[in-house]
Amino acid sequence: MNLDKAESQTGTLGKALAVLDVIATSYEPLRFTDLLNRLGQPRGSLHRQISHLLEEGLITLNADTGTYELGVRLLNWASLAWSQNSLRQVAAPFLAALHERTNETVHLAVLRDDRVVYLDKVESCQAVRMHSQIGNTSPVYCTGVGKAMLSVLDQASVAELAQRLDFQVFTKHTLTSPAALLAEVEQIRAQHYAEDREEHEVGIRCVAAPLVSAQGELRGGISVTTPVYRLQAQQLEQWRVWVVETAQAINNSLKVKLGPHA
Amino acid sequence: MNLDKAESQTGTLGKALAVLDVIATSYEPLRFTDLLNRLGQPRGSLHRQISHLLEEGLITLNADTGTYELGVRLLNWASLAWSQNSLRQVAAPFLAALHERTNETVHLAVLRDDRVVYLDKVESCQAVRMHSQIGNTSPVYCTGVGKAMLSVLDQASVAELAQRLDFQVFTKHTLTSPAALLAEVEQIRAQHYAEDREEHEVGIRCVAAPLVSAQGELRGGISVTTPVYRLQAQQLEQWRVWVVETAQAINNSLKVKLGPHA
DNA sequence: AAACAAATTCCACTATTTGGAACAAAAATA
DNA sequence: TATTTTTGTTCCAAATAGTGGAATTTGTTT
């Protein structure tokens, strides 16, 4: 009956998670009717989906406001997801060493759904904000790790991806077109490292490199971030070398730790 | 046909999440067959459930090992869950102030499924381990916050809960019977604060108090934790006061921020 | 107390899930 | 290399769980 396009259905699960996603990404708290409007589903169906999510502890009803919040079960899963993540486990000591050398904030990130997701962070003891960044996402096109990761995908995929991106302007250095991004990625591919020159946030620069498996598949990216005011030209040069070296070391470690088979 | 006991079914969603839970709580990485054994489901069904979880990004297949890991989508949700959590938002400044006064680690936790889940933590800049603790769980019966939270439930619920707990012995001070726990909770109810006297970990003590809504319903708990070696008797007395004061302040703030209705 | 809005329940209809078995691929063994 | 065993994937009729429109209940406003 229906052999349209990429027909991807995860059935009942997908529908329930769509509800969860709306709750997760809404800026203001939502009541039943708000969800009804945003999801355009029949009352009955939505109602049951919500009860299931509640019963499973994925969401919570705030009795005072009648609005839904994400449940703490998600926090618990995330904690487990983080600690068992194999990429993170392998990379951790290298990130620590890189931080040691640079004394700047070091990130580990992966690509998901056209966005960068931060997996780990090593920083000098600062105001200890939550996971600081862990689990947060940023656009690919204006972050060091983002562009670094794109550089190991084949040109065609990058072009496709660039086409469907929605370029937002964060600073006057933000890349704002598919063409600009493609050109930049081309260059990154050649030099093996990427830079963010205040493209996402004014006053913040970073140097990044991609992580790949033994088969050359994209695994993630790492970066060193710094405020420009304490940045000196030769430091930057030094960091490029260190970041690339560290990425290389992690790649080698990945081969040993994960895939001694091909 | 089937009116057995507490008949709680979340249908398809519940089954999918059961798979996720097995992956989450396993100590070693699991392959398809491992999951099959642990879940005792027909091959076909499990296979489809796994594909759905994969497609939704809730789990990832590690191509090198053929094992499944939790997906980063969970990290992203957790990050949002944490930042939008209203209890945490309200409590945050009070936790910071309490940390300021005591200069010791301060925790915010909630009760879920007979366990304590840590929601927030303020600590002196130490080795920055991930969420440090956020999303981690501990038993109720051997933690300060755990026992503090039990003290605001009615005696019957606590007795029931105590009965179904599996008391593990962590130190020589760990409470190991429903009776002991009930007695302790009784006392906590009277004095309005709880203590963990090296019951979970040798050398660690803590003082805790429960958080309640305007209607007196349990909302969570807070605690101050310290290594015994730097503990002096009069400090402890001081902290009891501060912890109870802080809890009271948060409770008041909860009334204002959340529920000005009854 | 009436009018209104929001949330919950109901139930005949329909789509998805189920689970056993057949099939394919990969590893282990001969 | 051939053979067996293990592991993973696909199929489809039957069973089950989800759908969605409407009626009912609950709770808020006038």
Side-chain angles (χ1 to χ4, degrees), chain A residues 10 56 69 76 79 86 125 136, chain B residues 10 56 69 79 86 125 135-136:
Chain A
T10 50
E56 286 294 339
E69 292 180 7
N76 186 221
S79 161
S86 55
C125 159
N136 280 11
Chain B
T10 51
E56 287 293 340
E69 291 180 8
S79 160
S86 56
C125 161
N136 281 11

Side-chain angles (χ1 to χ4, degrees), chain A residues 53-113:
Chain A
L53 289 171
L54 278 171
E55 202 169 333
E56 286 294 339
L58 267 52
I59 62 176
T60 312
L61 175 61
N62 186 322
D64 298 312
T65 58
T67 60
Y68 296 97
E69 292 180 7
L70 296 180
V72 287
R73 176 131 81 136
L74 293 171
L75 285 182
N76 186 221
W77 274 334
S79 161
L80 295 164
W82 187 84
S83 53
Q84 61 176 232
N85 185 281
S86 55
L87 175 61
R88 198 213 100 248
Q89 288 174 0
V90 171
F94 297 98
L95 300 183
L98 184 57
H99 170 69
E100 197 68 20
R101 292 216 263 186
T102 57
N103 208 31
E104 296 287 349
T105 302
V106 171
H107 279 117
L108 170 67
V110 295
L111 189 62
R112 187 190 123 71
D113 263 0

Side-chain angles (χ1 to χ4, degrees), chain A residues 124-200:
Chain A
S124 315
C125 159
Q126 302 170 10
V128 188
R129 286 204 331 243
M130 154 72 168
H131 326 145
S132 311
Q133 299 253 11
I134 293 164
N136 280 11
T137 70
S138 293
V140 258
Y141 59 88
C142 61
T143 51
V145 269
K147 296 187 293 179
M149 290 195 282
L150 293 185
S151 78
V152 305
L153 302 179
D154 58 288
Q155 192 70 20
S157 314
V158 181
E160 239 175 81
L161 186 150
Q163 212 53 53
R164 65 174 177 261
L165 284 181
D166 170 30
F167 288 85
Q168 277 191 276
V169 182
F170 293 99
T171 77
K172 63 180 171 185
H173 300 103
T174 309
L175 302 180
T176 55
S177 71
L181 180 57
L182 284 172
E184 171 101 3
V185 166
E186 191 66 38
Q187 195 192 328
I188 292 167
R189 207 188 309 269
Q191 64 193 20
H192 298 106
Y193 66 85
E195 285 191 29
D196 162 7
R197 306 180 181 80
E198 304 188 52
E199 293 161 45
H200 191 28

Side-chain angles (χ1 to χ4, degrees), chain B residues 199-212:
Chain B
E199 294 161 45
H200 191 28
E201 207 171 324
V202 175
I204 301 290
R205 291 191 60 154
C206 98
V207 181
L211 300 175
V212 296

Side-chain angles (χ1 to χ4, degrees), chain A residues 231-243:
Chain A
L231 184 70
Q232 286 155 23
Q234 66 197 79
Q235 277 187 325
L236 200 62
E237 187 46 53
Q238 179 65 84
W239 289 345
R240 284 177 194 140
V241 178
W242 284 344
V243 168

Side-chain angles (χ1 to χ4, degrees), chain B residues 173-191:
Chain B
H173 300 102
T174 308
L175 302 180
T176 54
S177 72
L181 180 58
L182 284 172
E184 172 102 2
V185 166
E186 190 68 37
Q187 195 192 328
I188 293 167
R189 206 188 310 269
Q191 64 193 21

